[in-house]
Amino acid sequence: MAGVSLQCGDCGALLRSVQEAQEHADLTSHSNFSESTEAVLNLVCSTCGKPCRSKTESDLHTKRTGHSEFVDKTSETAKPISLEVPKVDAMSNEDATATTDQPDEMVVPEVDKKVLEELESMGFPTARATRALHYSGNAGLEAAVNWVVEHENDPDIDQMPLVPANTKVEAPKPSLTPEQLKAKQQELRERARKKKEEEEKRMEREREKERIRIGKELLEAKRIEEENERKRLLALRKAEKEEERRAREKIRLKLEEDKAERRRRLGLPPEEPSAPKPSNVVEEKKSSLPVRPATKAEQMRECLRSLKQNHKDDDARVKRAFQTLLTYVGNVAKSPDEEKFRRIRLSNQTFQERVGALKGGIDFLEICGFEKVEGGEFLFLARDKVDKAVLNSAGSELDSAIKNPFFGVL
């Protein structure tokens, strides 16, 4: 079967004639061509009549215009290819011989100035627009834009094309009508706008993913920090309980030693560990005795012990509360006639921080004789209810609670 096309061995492109092969070689520097029985594809758009020479070109046309119906006229246009090199006249041969003796001067090719201005107004650089017009054969705005789209990843896309100075330039093909040009410009601007919006949306999605990732990392770091803090507090409480247990054991051993020392001084034999303790007898005797009401001092001691137990995790605050209560009681005991020492505003911030906010602080003052007056706004100790004995007992209990390190432990 006779060949109907020439195929470039470097890129695989199919060409209709020797002249097209020469133009292809000039543009790409490819030189390996062979005769092929595969015809150059000729797909004609049913909507606008644009011919497409490859499936890729028809796909790009569909993507840009939305036209999807094509008529295959390959068989109609296919014809045996002539391998004869086009003849040139003698003058051309002489010119060619003359030019081979000296290097040709390279210049920027002539392109359609009007279309070039239109491309520049659409935002294309001058070099890119000139390159697109030159390599698309000055076929018009659409062909130039199509060439840019197909070759936008070329490394030399923004280099100004150069051709020999004596190269014959074909007359530019007619451009689009003003209405078509306006519609094409609007279409290209709309396409550029949509592409920019899509890029912005993609970047926003990437930024949102990054924000979510950073948020998750921060939450995980916070969770780990809280978990470590919880473990630290548990270890601290465990150490405090162990220290409390050792303190109780130490006190118990000390009591047993004191008891053994007293028995030794009295000349009594050491207590047998296995000897039964008359605890039941004592309990029976106690149960037969009338219950004695707790004294003021015992009530104060129990109140202070309860205050320390309720706030055992903050020893410094408990000690400050004891010292504040001692100051209140001491001022009244020293100057019972001074009403300012016998009246305490419950809403006072200092009082609340030191005493009022601690469970048991106000109860202790009420045991000392203070009463809530004026709708619970003040604690007041009337002059005729000042009992120095009670105040002295309160001072003794507070002093013991402050100085005794084991107060409230047992």
Side-chain angles (χ1 to χ4, degrees):
M1 180 176 178
V4 294
S5 65
L6 290 175
Q7 185 175 21
C8 178
D10 296 317
C11 64
L14 295 176
L15 307 162
R16 291 194 180 98
S17 64
V18 174
Q19 184 177 359
E20 284 190 6
Q22 289 176 344
E23 293 177 356
H24 181 77
D26 293 338
L27 294 176
T28 62
S29 299
H30 298 167
S31 59
N32 184 16
F33 297 93
S34 61
E35 189 175 0
S36 174
T37 58
E38 182 181 356
V40 177
L41 194 64
N42 186 19
L43 300 176
V44 180
C45 179
S46 302
T47 305
C48 63
K50 175 178 172 55
C52 298
R53 300 180 56 166
S54 65
K55 187 65 170 60
T56 302
E57 188 174 345
S58 65
D59 291 342
L60 287 174
H61 181 72
T62 300
K63 184 177 180 180
R64 287 191 295 269
T65 64
H67 303 163
S68 59
E69 296 184 3
F70 296 87
V71 178
D72 190 351
K73 295 185 178 182
T74 305
S75 59
E76 298 177 7
T77 58
K79 61 182 179 178
I81 191 169
S82 175
L83 300 180
E84 295 182 1
V85 179
K87 296 180 180 181
V88 295
D89 55 21
M91 182 61 68
S92 299
N93 290 334
E94 292 176 0
D95 294 340
T97 304
T99 55
T100 55
D101 296 337
Q102 57 183 3
D104 293 336
E105 180 184 358
M106 305 300 289
V107 297
V108 177
E110 291 290 336
V111 295
D112 191 332
K113 301 296 184 182
K114 183 178 180 182
V115 180
L116 178 63
E117 292 176 359
E118 294 171 359
L119 290 171
E120 290 176 345
S121 66
M122 293 166 63
F124 293 105
T126 302
R128 183 178 298 193
T130 303
R131 197 176 190 86
L133 284 171
H134 173 66
Y135 287 121
S136 63
N138 284 303
L141 180 65
E142 183 177 0
V145 172
N146 293 341
W147 189 94
V148 171
V149 173
E150 295 174 3
H151 298 80
E152 60 182 353
N153 294 323
D154 292 355
D156 58 350
I157 185 67
D158 288 321
Q159 293 182 8
M160 184 67 75
L162 298 175
V163 297
N166 58 353
T167 301
K168 181 180 179 181
V169 180
E170 297 181 359
K173 297 180 180 179
S175 181
L176 301 176
T177 63
E179 293 76 10
Q180 293 175 333
L181 175 61
K182 186 175 181 181
K184 191 65 180 179
Q185 288 177 339
Q186 182 63 27
E187 177 189 348
L188 293 174
R189 290 193 188 97
E190 185 67 19
R191 188 188 308 167
R193 182 185 64 79
K194 289 182 179 179
K195 185 176 181 181
K196 183 177 180 181
E197 290 179 354
E198 291 175 358
E199 183 65 17
E200 290 178 352
K201 290 180 180 179
R202 187 186 67 81
M203 293 299 296
E204 181 61 27
R205 287 195 296 269
E206 293 295 330
R207 288 192 290 268
E208 183 64 23
K209 289 180 181 178
E210 184 66 13
R211 284 195 293 268
I212 293 174
R213 184 186 65 80
I214 294 175
K216 288 182 178 179
E217 290 180 356
L218 291 176
L219 289 176
E220 180 64 16
K222 184 178 180 181
R223 185 192 67 78
I224 293 174
E225 183 180 358
E226 291 176 351
E227 180 68 16
N228 292 336
E229 180 66 15
R230 186 182 66 81
K231 291 180 179 179
R232 188 187 69 81
L233 291 176
L234 288 176
L236 181 61
R237 290 174 183 173
K238 184 177 180 181
E240 289 176 351
K241 289 182 179 180
E242 182 64 21
E243 183 67 23
E244 184 178 343
R245 186 191 65 77
R246 287 197 295 267
R248 290 179 179 179
E249 182 66 18
K250 186 176 180 180
I251 294 173
R252 187 185 66 78
L253 293 176
K254 180 64 176 175
L255 293 175
E256 290 182 356
E257 290 176 1
D258 292 344
K259 184 177 180 180
E261 180 64 21
R262 286 195 298 271
R263 291 181 66 88
R264 186 183 63 80
R265 290 179 180 178
L266 294 173
L268 298 175
E271 185 178 9
E272 293 293 335
S274 60
K277 298 181 181 179
S279 57
N280 294 335
V281 178
V282 175
E283 289 179 0
E284 290 178 0
K285 290 182 179 180
K286 287 184 178 179
S287 63
S288 63
L289 296 175
V291 178
R292 178 179 61 83
T295 63
K296 288 274 189 179
E298 290 173 343
Q299 294 177 11
M300 294 175 186
R301 189 180 308 115
E302 182 60 29
C303 183
L304 296 177
R305 185 181 293 108
S306 175
L307 189 150
K308 185 169 184 179
Q309 287 292 330
N310 291 329
H311 305 280
K312 60 182 179 181
D313 293 334
D314 196 349
D315 291 338
R317 191 177 184 188
V318 170
K319 188 174 181 180
R320 184 177 62 180
F322 288 170
Q323 291 172 343
T324 304
L325 290 172
L326 184 60
T327 301
Y328 283 132
V329 171
N331 287 339
V332 176
K334 292 176 184 178
S335 305
D337 294 329
E338 292 288 341
E339 184 177 345
K340 64 179 181 180
F341 294 141
R342 294 183 283 107
R343 176 183 289 269
I344 303 172
R345 182 185 293 274
L346 291 175
S347 60
N348 182 273
Q349 184 177 357
T350 302
F351 174 78
Q352 282 295 325
E353 291 178 355
R354 293 175 174 268
V355 177
L358 278 71
K359 185 177 180 180
I362 297 177
D363 295 340
F364 183 86
L365 292 173
E366 288 178 340
I367 295 173
C368 295
F370 283 86
E371 297 177 347
K372 291 182 179 179
V373 296
E374 298 183 20
E377 186 177 354
F378 291 92
L379 277 176
F380 181 70
L381 178 58
R383 178 64 184 88
D384 57 349
K385 293 184 179 181
V386 174
D387 189 339
K388 286 195 173 184
V390 173
L391 296 176
N392 290 335
S393 296
S396 299
E397 295 299 331
L398 286 167
D399 186 66
S400 174
I402 293 170
K403 294 180 180 180
N404 183 3
F406 303 108
F407 179 81
V409 174
L410 298 178

